[in-house]
Amino acid sequence: MNESWMKKWEEVKDILTSPVDIEAYFTSSEILDQKMEVMAIGNVSLPSGKVIVRDPLVYLNRDEKPYFTEVPKGNFPVTIAVVKMEEWGDRYAAVKVEFTKEKPVIYREALIGIEELEGVQKDDIFGFAVDAGLGCITDPEVVPYVDKFIEELDVENIYDDYFAELFAKSYHEDPRNQRDLGDWINWNIPGTDYHIPMFASGFGDGLYPVYFGYDAQGKISGVYIHFIDIEMALSEEGDEDDV
């Protein structure tokens, strides 16, 4: 990230905002007649105050850069907003890391600092890629412990040979809003005090935006991963029904 990039970001940052009040997913019992439920899944460890959101099975490694915006350091509660859709069942619409109780008044997209910002238009997103149906949130100081553990574990397939059992255990201990193979865990990296929440990604593989929520005083109140735009999803479902 350099000075010219930051200057461009200052010019476009109010374009790269969420059109949806994502916090409403966590405070409403229904959205457009779709029932909502919120699940608390424990804390995430952010020891450096830097944030990484990635597919944990494909893109989480020590070479990945965090978002340039820094957040408070420490352990913070993570919740999942579940939308109960007749067509697709229970789906994780959004994930939130809460830093304060203040309500966001604007959501600005989380960026690393290398994105091409020239020609950015409203509704453009950069997002993070999901190729294994999962997302996670963590800190760059935590990632080397993940790499070290996986290297020492020395298995052929990290999901099949390690994580699958943990996800299945999550389902058996708390089956709410999960399929029987399990849809979320809050992984305590063995030998550390660090926790990395992992969770199913909305409709599976794809590109999903991440936002920092800012309160009326301009302070960061939370990080939001937006998996499902409920209004858009219902609109597309209606279009398919009309065909």
Side-chain angles (χ1 to χ4, degrees):
M1 184 177 61
N2 56 42
E3 188 176 336
S4 62
W5 189 94
M6 281 300 300
K7 183 179 178 181
K8 186 62 182 177
W9 178 76
E10 288 288 346
E11 293 174 5
V12 303
K13 67 181 182 180
D14 288 337
I15 299 174
L16 292 169
T17 58
S18 171
V20 175
D21 179 8
I22 313 171
E23 177 64 20
Y25 287 21
F26 296 87
T27 56
S28 305
S29 59
E30 285 189 3
I31 292 179
L32 297 177
D33 297 325
Q34 310 301 301
K35 292 190 181 303
M36 303 294 297
E37 186 174 330
V38 175
M39 295 193 305
I41 64 168
N43 289 348
V44 62
S45 304
L46 301 174
S48 76
K50 295 182 173 68
V51 177
I52 289 178
V53 176
R54 297 289 186 275
D55 179 325
L57 302 183
V58 182
Y59 298 113
L60 187 62
N61 59 69
R62 67 186 74 197
D63 296 325
E64 289 293 314
K65 298 183 184 305
Y67 301 123
F68 78 85
T69 302
E70 297 194 13
V71 302
K73 300 176 183 179
N75 300 302
F76 300 95
V78 179
T79 50
I80 299 174
V82 185
V83 57
K84 297 172 174 292
M85 308 182 89
E86 185 175 336
E87 181 75 15
W88 297 295
D90 298 350
R91 294 283 178 166
Y92 296 173
V95 176
K96 175 175 73 168
V97 180
E98 182 180 274
F99 301 124
T100 76
K101 296 293 184 182
E102 296 299 316
K103 183 182 183 341
V105 296
I106 192 169
Y107 306 86
R108 291 200 173 98
E109 186 168 2
L111 301 178
I112 292 169
I114 59 173
E115 294 84 355
E116 176 52 64
L117 300 180
E118 199 64 46
V120 163
Q121 299 179 11
K122 188 174 175 59
D123 297 331
D124 284 349
I125 64 167
F126 290 94
F128 74 104
V130 172
D131 286 338
L134 291 172
C136 79
I137 186 162
T138 187
D139 183 296
E141 281 193 11
V142 174
V143 175
Y145 294 94
V146 178
D147 289 346
K148 183 173 184 288
F149 173 77
I150 292 174
E151 287 169 7
E152 292 177 351
L153 196 61
D154 191 26
V155 295
E156 187 171 330
N157 183 299
I158 189 59
Y159 183 81
D160 292 343
D161 298 332
Y162 179 73
F163 282 116
E165 183 178 344
L166 298 183
F167 276 92
K169 182 181 178 184
S170 174
Y171 169 78
H172 287 297
E173 291 180 349
D174 185 1
R176 294 175 307 140
N177 306 311
Q178 296 199 69
R179 294 163 292 184
D180 56 6
L181 294 179
D183 282 321
W184 71 267
I185 61 172
N186 193 335
W187 183 43
N188 175 207
I189 304 170
T192 78
D193 294 326
Y194 295 135
H195 284 81
I196 301 179
M198 302 182 184
F199 28 78
S201 53
F203 289 134
D205 296 349
L207 190 71
Y208 297 101
V210 180
Y211 297 96
F212 291 104
Y214 292 83
D215 65 23
Q217 284 71 48
K219 295 182 179 179
I220 292 177
S221 59
V223 175
Y224 294 80
I225 305 169
H226 194 191
F227 284 130
I228 299 175
D229 183 325
I230 296 172
E231 183 174 356
M232 185 182 295
L234 293 175
S235 173
E236 290 173 353
E237 180 185 333
D239 291 343
E240 290 175 3
D241 292 341
D242 292 339
V243 173

